[in-house]
Amino acid sequence: MTFAIRLILVAVLMLQTARTVFGQDRRAMLVGTVRAAEDSLALSEVFVRVIGSSAFAMTDAKGFFRLENLPRTQVTVVFERGGVARKVVSLELADVETRIEVFLNYASFKSSEVVVTAKENAQGGELGTASRIERSAIEHVQASSLADVLQLLPGQLAQNPTLSGVRQSLLRQSSLSTSASNPSAADRANALGTAIVLDGVPLSNNANLQTNLTILNSPAGTLPPFASAEGRGLDLRQFSADIIESIEVIRGIPSARHGDLTVGAILVQTRASAYKPQARLRLNPQTVESTLGGGWNFFDKRTGINAELSFTRSQDDPRRTEELFSRLMGNLTWSQQWDAAARLTTTTRASFYTTLDERLQFANDRQQIERSAQDRGIRASLFSVFRFDDDARTKLEWTASLNYAEQLGRFQELITRGDGRFPLSDATIDTTKPGVFGDIEYLNRTSVQGLPLNVYSRLEAIHKTWVAGWSHQFFFGAEVRFDQNRGDGRTFDVLRPPRQNFTVGERPRAFSEIPALAQVSAYLEDRVATDIFGRAFLAQIGVRFDNIQPTGLFSGRFGAALSPRVNATLELLNGVWLRGGYGTTVKSPTLSQLFPDRKYFDLVGFNYFAPNPAERLVMITTRVVEPKNPNARYFSATKAELGIDVSLGGVTANVVAFREVTDNAFGISRLPVVLTFPRFRVVSTPAGRPPEIAVAAIDTFIAAYDVPVNSRDIHSEGIELTLDLPEWSLVRTSLNITGAYLRSRTTDDALFFNTDVIFGTTPPQRVDVFQSGIGRESQLLTTSARFITRIPELSMVISLLAQTIWIDADRPFNRGTQPIGSLDRQGNLAFLPELPAQSPQAGLEQTRPMLWLFNARLTKELPSGIRFAFFVNNVLTERPLFFNTETRAATQRNPTLFFGAEVFYSFQ
């Protein structure tokens, strides 16, 4: 079979070579100029590409472009640029050189071609599965953050534009959490494995250490009392949708250029072109948002300056002024063409942001609970391109960025000890020493300050060539990533510690003691295109090497991985394409997963609380546990997909089936540890002084602590659908349908220790060990039908959403009831011999009824540059109640009835 395939490939190559040598496949060239339809001015930075080939170009300052080595046949050319309407032109390339002039309309709701939905990139021979969301669609959604825009993707559910709580992405995976307020390890790994790339720079959350010590009678991995995305993906509330020009969401196999990810990538592009100054005001029952911005060209359009400023204030409950989220951010962009031929161009960006999520003390709250999370940061990046020739066949790109932030989490609480004055120690090493008696009631104030620094640099060479009838575009690049946190860390008064379990100590920790994380990567990729027996064929073949915390050229402390990736598409019939892809991806651990905080246990060996303070004595043995995972390493995903794309008679359809397996994702395991400590007896009791004591015995105590481990496996599979039907002219309405079926399962491969017995009234003699396999399975089938009515004469667009959840079910997989071993009080771990294997026990499935949701949106442009927009979510106020027999809780499904308005003004 392998020999036959090779023989066929050789024959095809020989045929193509013969066609080239004997002139049967003479190539054509397409040159032209792109102008604005309104004023006939040349448009620069327009992306010009030929569907079904790897040929593309970017227009220069005069709007000129040139495409070479095209087939002499009918071709379809796409013209795209931020701020203008996308245009598709079909023409016959009959001559060696064909010249055209193309006029593009500025993006406007006056146009009958305005796009207000996500568009699949896999339309007419594109590689991989990705969706593109343009500025007009973002404006129509009236998004308050990047999270709100993702509802346009297949399989994503519409939500209200809330800014309450950390917002995360969840791509190609049905939720595996039992509670939205405490995501599962699988959902956290999905968000962490989704790269956020801002203007070509991948943003990192690896140095986020904003966490708190989990109380041991809470579930492992419980979130801190303040808002934090530690150990997860970036908080999408950081990104105001108002300053975004376009978004591309890669869900399939990404290019080898993209690293430090497993699930996919969200590519965010902000504005870097000239546009009239604009002002925007958005209002809804929770949020007030205002944005100012503008872009200007100077020196014959060789210099461009953009500036944006956005402020947001949001209250989840307008009656609760104590709970507030606010965001202030600004961008400044300088684009420069350094020579008349545009051989050297640079784009320099500087931005700042600050977010504050706080919950102030309620009136008459005796516990005096407060919490806040504030992030303030600056970002600076440089993107430079040097073209070695006029048509950019060979060019060198360099990207560099620096992100520096201050993250400050605070919480306070009045703590009352019902068991009286409790013993405290300030020891930070294994020792036995006298302690002190803490207050029965006190106000604890804890702060967690992080100063994450993220540095990124990439150097990439690109070369286009044509060999024996095959078009090649080679990419070779090298990357360096550096993540560090030098913050003060977790601080509090050791004599007034946060609430904890008995015997568990609390100590401050400085983040400056944590080592930095470095990654070095290299990649090589070839994008090829050719005709095979008159049908277009495209492929993207790449390989990427990632070295995490390098200890050598090909070895790293936390692993080194080689990731092959392949995407291919073949034109079966005119307008019908078959595509597929396969590849692996890897994600580095975060600093919090690699270097968790030490755990302190304060064991009381003698406790004498005399009426006379001078006679009191408490002896405390402190034991320090380093919860390190010596086997910590990257986690990886294997991705495969197969799809078909159809574009016929104005109908566009995309169907793709996928399967993704993530191995060794991080989760939190709770482990027992046996500690020894001395117990003392009284030797004498002198008056006015503490008693004299001596060691009476050495006792043992079984404690528990949490540690991050590579033990979670995640399997997801499903089908995604996108269907666009042409406009029905009678009612001027088109139909866009997206949908997805998702089935996901996660399992924990770590051993399970039943540490719950530790917190009983009697110290346990052993802790039982159970076989691994605990997990959860869920499935989701949903469709979203959007009816879009465009009325250019009224400059108005109306869209109606009918979202249906057909299947929404999940079930747990519980551990077996038979222990496979135990840990005794001497620290001996023994397993039972010849015990038959136990399979995880499937729990009761929770199946929710079918659910409908209807939303409506309207956008209308008024004279003099004014635009008005309005939306209503859950028009029918359908919110049925569902009782979950597993959690014993009832929840209302669907978002609440919600509405909002926006006023936009563009200065003339």
Side-chain angles (χ1 to χ4, degrees):
M1 179 66 70
T2 303
F3 176 77
I5 293 175
R6 291 178 178 176
L7 188 61
I8 292 173
L9 291 176
V10 170
V12 170
L13 180 59
M14 291 176 65
L15 176 62
Q16 291 297 109
T17 303
R19 292 170 63 189
T20 303
V21 172
F22 293 104
Q24 297 178 12
D25 189 28
R26 292 175 296 166
R27 312 305 290 180
M29 178 169 61
L30 176 65
V31 296
T33 304
V34 182
R35 299 184 182 276
E38 288 80 356
D39 50 22
S40 296
L41 293 177
L43 289 177
S44 61
E45 297 182 350
V46 176
F47 185 64
V48 185
R49 63 184 177 91
V50 178
I51 290 180
S53 90
S54 62
F56 71 89
M58 194 78 72
T59 59
D60 59 19
K62 298 179 181 179
F64 177 79
F65 72 92
R66 177 168 57 189
L67 295 170
E68 294 183 318
N69 291 319
L70 299 176
R72 296 183 65 177
T73 182
Q74 180 88 10
V75 296
T76 302
V77 187
V78 180
F79 298 84
E80 296 173 307
R81 197 193 87 161
V84 300
R86 180 177 183 264
K87 190 166 187 176
V88 179
V89 177
S90 295
L91 70 160
E92 183 79 22
L93 299 182
D95 300 323
V96 176
E97 179 177 307
T98 302
R99 292 183 174 270
I100 62 171
E101 189 173 31
V102 179
F103 292 88
L104 302 183
N105 294 309
Y106 287 110
S108 168
F109 287 90
K110 298 178 182 179
S111 170
S112 61
E113 300 175 351
V114 64
V115 178
V116 295
T117 60
K119 291 296 182 182
E120 293 301 296
N121 279 359
Q123 294 182 9
E126 289 297 305
L127 292 164
T129 301
S131 300
R132 185 174 178 85
I133 305 172
E134 297 290 350
R135 179 70 204 161
S136 54
I138 298 172
E139 291 178 342
H140 191 64
V141 170
Q142 300 179 52
S144 294
S145 71
L146 178 57
D148 299 328
V149 184
L150 300 183
Q151 65 182 276
L152 298 176
L153 303 176
Q156 299 291 312
L157 300 179
Q159 300 290 337
N160 288 335
T162 178
L163 294 171
S164 172
V166 174
R167 302 292 301 275
Q168 300 269 275
S169 62
L170 187 66
L171 301 181
R172 281 192 169 179
Q173 180 177 303
S174 54
S175 176
L176 291 163
S177 301
T178 57
S179 169
S181 60
N182 191 24
S184 67
D187 288 1
R188 298 186 196 193
N190 185 284
L192 181 62
T194 302
I196 307 294
V197 183
L198 181 64
D199 297 318
V201 175
L203 303 182
S204 174
N205 201 40
N206 290 340
N208 188 335
L209 294 167
Q210 298 300 108
T211 188
N212 187 51
L213 189 65
T214 300
I215 297 177
L216 292 180
N217 54 11
S218 298
T222 298
L223 298 176
F226 50 85
S228 172
E230 171 270 331
R232 300 189 278 167
L234 288 163
D235 187 351
L236 300 184
R237 297 181 300 172
Q238 284 186 19
F239 308 97
S240 170
D242 284 348
I243 65 173
I244 297 175
E245 183 66 33
S246 65
I247 300 169
E248 183 178 358
V249 183
I250 301 173
R251 305 187 304 282
I253 291 83
S255 161
R257 303 173 74 242
H258 298 298
D260 203 31
L261 54 79
T262 52
V263 176
I266 301 175
L267 314 183
V268 180
Q269 193 69 36
T270 61
R271 295 186 174 186
S273 56
Y275 65 94
K276 296 177 181 179
Q278 300 173 350
R280 187 187 309 272
L281 177 65
R282 180 179 297 114
L283 301 170
N284 63 49
Q286 295 180 352
T287 304
V288 177
E289 185 171 5
S290 59
T291 304
L292 294 172
W296 303 267
N297 282 333
F298 305 95
F299 309 116
D300 195 25
K301 294 188 177 181
R302 290 172 58 177
T303 300
I305 298 293
N306 289 74
E308 290 96 8
L309 184 67
S310 176
F311 175 73
T312 306
R313 181 183 176 92
S314 178
Q315 290 178 221
D316 188 40
D317 185 344
R319 299 167 299 178
R320 285 292 191 184
T321 59
E322 299 90 349
E323 296 179 315
L324 176 69
F325 175 84
S326 59
R327 177 183 65 206
L328 175 66
M329 59 187 312
N331 279 356
L332 183 64
T333 303
W334 168 36
S335 303
Q336 183 65 50
Q337 177 183 318
W338 293 97
D339 59 291
R343 290 289 185 89
L344 177 62
T345 59
T346 60
T347 302
T348 305
R349 287 181 168 90
S351 63
F352 74 90
Y353 67 92
T354 176
T355 62
L356 176 62
D357 187 333
E358 61 181 348
R359 189 269 202 193
L360 302 178
Q361 182 178 332
F362 292 165
N364 303 318
D365 178 13
R366 187 183 181 280
Q367 285 189 295
Q368 304 178 44
I369 295 176
E370 287 188 5
R371 58 103 178 141
S372 67
Q374 183 176 34
D375 286 10
R376 297 181 293 181
I378 57 173
R379 297 187 179 111
S381 67
L382 171 66
F383 175 68
S384 58
V385 181
F386 180 75
R387 299 170 176 85
F388 291 89
D389 39 46
D390 291 339
D391 56 1
R393 289 185 182 180
T394 304
K395 59 183 178 179
L396 192 66
E397 296 183 354
W398 180 48
T399 304
S401 74
L402 183 147
N403 296 343
Y404 183 74
E406 179 190 33
Q407 298 174 323
L408 186 59
R410 293 193 181 101
F411 64 92
Q412 75 169 33
E413 178 186 11
L414 184 67
I415 296 176
T416 302
R417 297 286 183 173
D419 51 355
R421 299 173 69 91
F422 64 101
L424 291 172
S425 175
D426 60 357
T428 56
I429 60 173
D430 286 346
T431 187
T432 300
K433 57 180 285 190
V436 298
F437 290 99
D439 295 331
I440 295 176
E441 186 174 82
Y442 61 89
L443 182 66
N444 165 255
R445 290 188 175 94
T446 300
S447 66
V448 183
Q449 188 221 32
L451 297 175
L453 171 67
N454 312 111
V455 179
Y456 173 81
S457 182
R458 177 175 67 193
L459 185 64
E460 181 180 72
I462 303 173
H463 178 65
K464 293 191 293 185
T465 187
W466 183 267
V467 179
W470 293 70
S471 170
H472 295 267
Q473 186 175 28
F474 295 100
F475 296 80
F476 175 74
E479 287 182 343
V480 175
R481 303 171 191 243
F482 179 83
D483 300 295
Q484 186 182 52
N485 195 319
R486 307 294 292 177
D488 291 339
R490 191 164 173 266
T491 57
F492 54 88
D493 183 349
V494 293
L495 299 182
R496 296 180 170 223
R499 186 184 300 276
Q500 250 311 339
N501 300 94
F502 185 71
T503 74
V504 178
E506 288 272 26
R507 305 291 190 273
R509 184 202 196 188
F511 292 158
S512 56
E513 68 182 30
I514 298 175
L517 177 65
Q519 300 181 63
V520 178
S521 307
Y523 59 88
L524 175 64
E525 185 172 271
D526 183 16
R527 299 180 186 177
V528 299
T530 190
D531 292 338
I532 298 180
F533 301 111
R535 296 297 177 184
F537 171 78
L538 290 84
Q540 181 184 57
I541 305 169
V543 63
R544 182 182 179 91
F545 177 73
D546 293 288
N547 192 344
I548 304 171
Q549 207 76 329
T551 56
L553 187 59
F554 300 106
S555 60
R557 179 180 175 186
F558 305 116
L562 196 65
S563 304
R565 302 174 193 175
V566 177
N567 283 295
T569 181
L570 174 66
E571 185 182 23
L572 300 178
L573 302 169
N574 291 335
V576 180
W577 297 77
L578 177 69
R579 60 183 170 90
Y582 177 87
T584 60
T585 55
V586 298
K587 174 70 184 77
S588 74
T590 66
L591 290 181
S592 62
Q593 294 166 342
L594 294 173
F595 306 103
D597 195 2
R598 303 179 185 90
K599 302 301 186 290
Y600 297 85
F601 296 91
D602 294 327
L603 308 174
V604 178
F606 183 82
N607 189 344
Y608 179 62
F609 188 80
N612 182 357
E615 297 178 352
R616 297 171 184 171
L617 178 63
V618 58
M619 295 297 295
I620 299 177
T621 297
T622 298
R623 293 289 183 247
V624 184
V625 176
E626 295 277 358
K628 290 184 178 179
N629 177 12
N631 300 316
R633 57 187 286 112
Y634 63 81
F635 60 100
S636 63
T638 302
K639 301 164 65 73
E641 66 177 20
L642 182 67
I644 188 167
D645 307 318
V646 179
S647 182
L648 295 171
V651 177
T652 301
N654 312 99
V655 181
V656 59
F658 67 89
R659 189 171 193 272
E660 302 184 356
V661 179
T662 301
D663 296 318
N664 299 319
F666 276 85
I668 303 297
S669 290
R670 185 159 290 172
L671 304 179
V673 59
V674 176
L675 307 173
T676 61
F677 67 101
R679 291 195 179 274
F680 296 90
R681 59 181 176 82
V682 176
V683 175
S684 63
T685 55
R689 289 189 298 134
E692 295 181 358
I693 58 176
V695 175
I698 300 298
D699 202 352
T700 59
F701 178 80
I702 303 179
Y705 66 98
D706 294 341
V707 59
V709 292
N710 295 89
S711 64
R712 277 22 175 214
D713 294 335
I714 308 164
H715 297 249
S716 290
E717 57 190 12
I719 299 175
E720 294 176 332
L721 164 72
T722 301
L723 175 65
D724 282 296
L725 300 180
E727 182 179 286
W728 185 16
S729 58
L730 184 63
V731 292
R732 294 184 174 183
T733 300
S734 61
L735 176 60
N736 167 263
I737 298 176
T738 62
Y741 171 71
L742 306 172
R743 184 172 66 184
S744 302
R745 179 171 176 174
T746 181
T747 54
D748 182 1
D749 293 333
L751 293 177
F752 177 81
F753 292 84
N754 185 24
T755 56
D756 291 344
V757 297
I758 295 174
F759 308 106
T761 56
T762 303
Q765 296 303 311
R766 71 175 190 275
V767 173
D768 290 335
V769 186
F770 295 84
Q771 191 168 311
S772 59
I774 300 173
R776 176 168 291 273
E777 182 180 70
S778 65
Q779 53 181 329
L780 176 70
L781 173 61
T782 178
T783 58
S784 297
R786 291 179 170 86
F787 299 86
I788 304 162
T789 301
R790 301 174 179 87
I791 310 176
E793 297 84 354
L794 299 179
S795 304
M796 185 166 64
V797 175
I798 302 172
S799 69
L800 302 176
L801 167 68
Q803 175 183 282
T804 308
I805 299 178
W806 305 93
I807 299 174
D808 185 2
D810 63 274
R811 60 176 176 174
F813 284 88
N814 304 313
R815 58 176 172 82
T817 58
Q818 176 66 42
I820 62 172
S822 64
L823 178 77
D824 62 24
R825 291 178 64 90
Q826 285 69 46
N828 300 313
L829 178 61
F831 291 95
L832 300 177
E834 299 181 358
L835 193 69
Q838 299 183 56
S839 300
Q841 303 298 311
L844 182 64
E845 184 174 69
Q846 305 295 315
T847 303
R848 298 159 184 82
M850 190 174 69
L851 183 67
W852 290 78
L853 174 70
F854 297 94
N855 295 345
R857 302 183 186 278
L858 179 147
T859 304
K860 176 174 174 54
E861 288 195 1
L862 301 174
S864 305
I866 299 175
R867 184 190 304 148
F868 172 78
F870 179 78
F871 75 91
V872 180
N873 289 347
N874 198 357
V875 175
L876 301 182
T877 65
E878 179 73 11
R879 300 200 71 207
L881 198 67
F882 177 77
F883 180 77
N884 190 313
T885 57
E886 179 189 357
T887 62
R888 311 301 299 174
T891 57
Q892 280 190 295
R893 305 173 68 199
N894 265 344
T896 59
L897 171 67
F898 200 84
F899 58 89
E902 174 181 299
V903 178
F904 168 89
Y905 178 70
S906 178
F907 295 89
Q908 302 301 308

